[in-house]
Amino acid sequence: MGGIAGSPLKKRLLTLGFFLPLAMLALAGCEPAQLTKGKSPLMPAVMSPDSVALDMFFIRFPFGDPTVNEKLWEQIDEQQLPPDLRERLTRNGFRVGIISGQIPSELSKLMTLTDKPAPQEGESQGSHVTNLEAEPRVTQRHLQVRAGKRAEILASSIYPELPVLTCKQGQISGQTYYQAQGIFAARSLPQPDGRIRLELLPELHHGPPRQRWVGNQGMLRLDTGRPKEVYDDLAMSADMAPGAMLVLSSLPNRPGSLGHHFFTQGEGQIEQKLLVIRFSQTQHDGLFNPPEPLKLDDEQGQ
């Protein structure tokens, strides 16, 4: 056997075994190039079939500015919300409306982004004391969410101490929260005609994180989160076509209200904020998948 191992036949087989893979690689390299110069060989990212893309703008402006609080809102449709809901929102300092057509010139000017980069998620959220001159007037965030799944929109920074006045069924009540932050729980539901139903629920998250048991599809799981006050009577929804915008802000004549704390910023020199949520696109095809009503209770469907 030792003679066979050192034979010329064995050496030729070893040589062929070495050069054959190289020849195959060379032949593969002779195929004509299919890539266009300057273009990535990677396929563009594709949204999942039930995804909804939203563009959000937070815009700061002087508190009580009549151009924004009066002239701009003359061109925003507030009548798409039910009258009783509008009344509850007004009593609690919120103002909400929809822009379905051309963007008002006042809003277009406000939405002009500066050269400063917008802060990333998680920045400028740790404290209510902020340097307003150092922050950009407009910040933008792109949000891609799955249909029916909960997402959170951080409406305010964290207040070390926050006394809140709320009005429910004509009764005014007050309570003080610590380490409190205004948040909108958001869900979107694509409709068969290409629109979406966007639902927002105001919440006030406060205090240190805690662990709790949460039910999910008949099972219990341990969840870590901060205590929260959920304002179910202020839950709002809007049917939006691609390009439509949902606009939210506060009423300057409701100091101390929930809307005031969601949509103002700063101490001493207080500024108001606008939140503009634009429906960009959806990949959902609802022809064979009729929509189901959504529940804003985050204990379900997570």
Side-chain angles (χ1 to χ4, degrees), residues 5 9 46 50 60 94 100 107 144 146 192 202 217 239 288 293 301:
L9 177 60
V46 178
D50 62 345
R60 295 188 297 117
F94 289 99
S100 300
L107 181 58
Q144 186 171 314
R146 301 288 295 272
Q217 298 179 353
D239 292 333
F288 304 103

Side-chain angles (χ1 to χ4, degrees), residues 94 151-153 155 182-186 200-202 236 248 262-263 275:
F94 289 99
E152 291 186 349
I153 300 173
I183 290 176
F184 285 108
L200 298 179
L201 177 63
M236 61 198 86
L248 303 94
F262 269 60
F263 290 109
L275 170 59

Side-chain angles (χ1 to χ4, degrees), residues 278-293:
R278 179 181 180 272
F279 169 33
S280 300
Q281 67 176 119
T282 179
Q283 296 288 100
H284 182 74
D285 183 0
L287 293 176
F288 304 103
N289 185 18
E292 299 178 358

Side-chain angles (χ1 to χ4, degrees), residues 24-218:
M24 294 178 66
L25 288 173
L27 289 174
C30 291
E31 293 292 330
Q34 301 295 324
L35 300 178
T36 305
K37 184 178 180 181
K39 291 190 176 181
S40 169
L42 300 177
M43 294 294 291
V46 178
M47 294 172 60
S48 60
D50 62 345
S51 291
V52 172
L54 303 171
D55 289 311
M56 298 186 301
F57 299 83
F58 270 103
I59 306 167
R60 295 188 297 117
F61 60 95
F63 185 84
D65 187 333
T67 301
V68 181
N69 286 293
E70 298 173 17
K71 190 174 181 180
L72 172 61
W73 281 94
E74 293 175 358
Q75 304 174 68
I76 300 175
D77 184 7
E78 301 177 70
Q79 306 302 314
Q80 292 196 34
L81 297 179
D84 56 337
L85 175 59
R86 291 204 309 271
E87 183 180 355
R88 293 195 299 272
L89 291 170
T90 298
R91 288 200 301 261
N92 288 280
F94 289 99
R95 195 168 193 181
V96 183
I98 296 176
I99 299 174
S100 300
Q102 185 176 0
I103 301 177
S105 58
E106 290 81 5
L107 181 58
S108 180
K109 293 175 184 177
L110 287 170
M111 290 176 65
T112 302
L113 291 169
T114 64
D115 292 334
K116 285 188 176 182
Q120 299 297 315
E121 183 178 359
E123 295 180 2
S124 301
Q125 298 169 3
S127 172
H128 186 57
V129 181
T130 55
N131 183 352
L132 298 181
E133 294 301 324
E135 291 190 344
R137 289 282 174 177
V138 181
T139 57
Q140 182 181 4
R141 178 187 173 193
H142 182 78
L143 183 64
Q144 186 171 314
V145 295
R146 301 288 295 272
K149 298 298 183 181
R150 174 187 171 98
E152 291 186 349
I153 300 173
L154 307 183
S156 78
S157 54
I158 296 178
Y159 294 86
E161 183 177 344
L162 184 64
V164 179
L165 295 175
T166 56
C167 183
K168 189 173 184 179
Q169 297 179 347
Q171 300 294 321
I172 297 178
S173 60
Q175 186 170 344
T176 298
Y177 300 90
Y178 298 93
Q179 297 299 312
Q181 184 173 31
I183 290 176
F184 285 108
R187 283 195 174 100
S188 61
L189 180 64
Q191 303 294 295
D193 59 0
R195 298 184 299 168
I196 63 165
R197 177 164 298 151
L198 180 62
E199 300 186 349
L200 298 179
L201 177 63
E203 299 177 350
L204 197 64
H205 294 212
H206 58 93
R210 299 177 183 174
Q211 289 188 332
R212 58 173 182 162
W213 291 100
V214 177
N216 183 18
Q217 298 179 353

Side-chain angles (χ1 to χ4, degrees), residues 4 62 65 71 131 174 225 236 249 251 265 276-277:
I4 297 176
D65 187 333
K71 190 174 181 180
N131 183 352
M236 61 198 86
S249 189
L251 290 164
Q265 182 172 337
V276 180
I277 305 175

